[in-house]
Amino acid sequence: MDVESRVPYAPLEQPPVRSYKWWSIGNILCCCLPLGLVAVYYSGQVEECLARRDIAGAKKASDTAKTINILALVIGLACIGFMIFYMVRNAQLIKSMATQTIKPPY
């Protein structure tokens, strides 16, 4: 084999595709359990596609995991905000009811 017929070897590098696994786990623990579980599933799909060298499938699963994580975070923060709002509101109602004096009917 002469020098001119050799093709230089270039190692195959996988482009960085994020799996968002830790964000998904955080959503399970703190924000929205059902959507966090779905996001963990898609994070696993990213890793499986990368193991098969299916870059297009990995990017699609990564985008899906990211979208679900954003949705879980927004829903979780909204639920936490509503809970805090209603707890403060109910505390004020209970405080105002406790300060009222009840007069006997006679």
Side-chain angles (χ1 to χ4, degrees), residues 17-48:
V17 179
R18 295 187 60 183
S19 68
Y20 301 105
K21 185 192 310 184
W22 293 108
W23 189 7
S24 303
I25 292 171
N27 279 330
I28 287 173
L29 297 175
C30 299
C31 295
C32 186
L33 176 69
L35 289 177
L37 290 172
V38 174
V40 166
Y41 170 76
Y42 281 104
S43 298
Q45 290 295 314
V46 171
E47 294 171 1
E48 287 180 19

Side-chain angles (χ1 to χ4, degrees), residues 48-62:
E48 287 180 19
C49 288
L50 287 176
R52 291 189 314 253
R53 294 184 186 246
D54 179 15
I55 304 302
K59 286 182 180 180
K60 184 177 179 181
S62 176

Side-chain angles (χ1 to χ4, degrees), residues 55-70:
I55 304 302
K59 286 182 180 180
K60 184 177 179 181
S62 176
D63 291 341
T64 304
K66 181 180 179 181
T67 302
I68 292 172
N69 277 319
I70 290 170

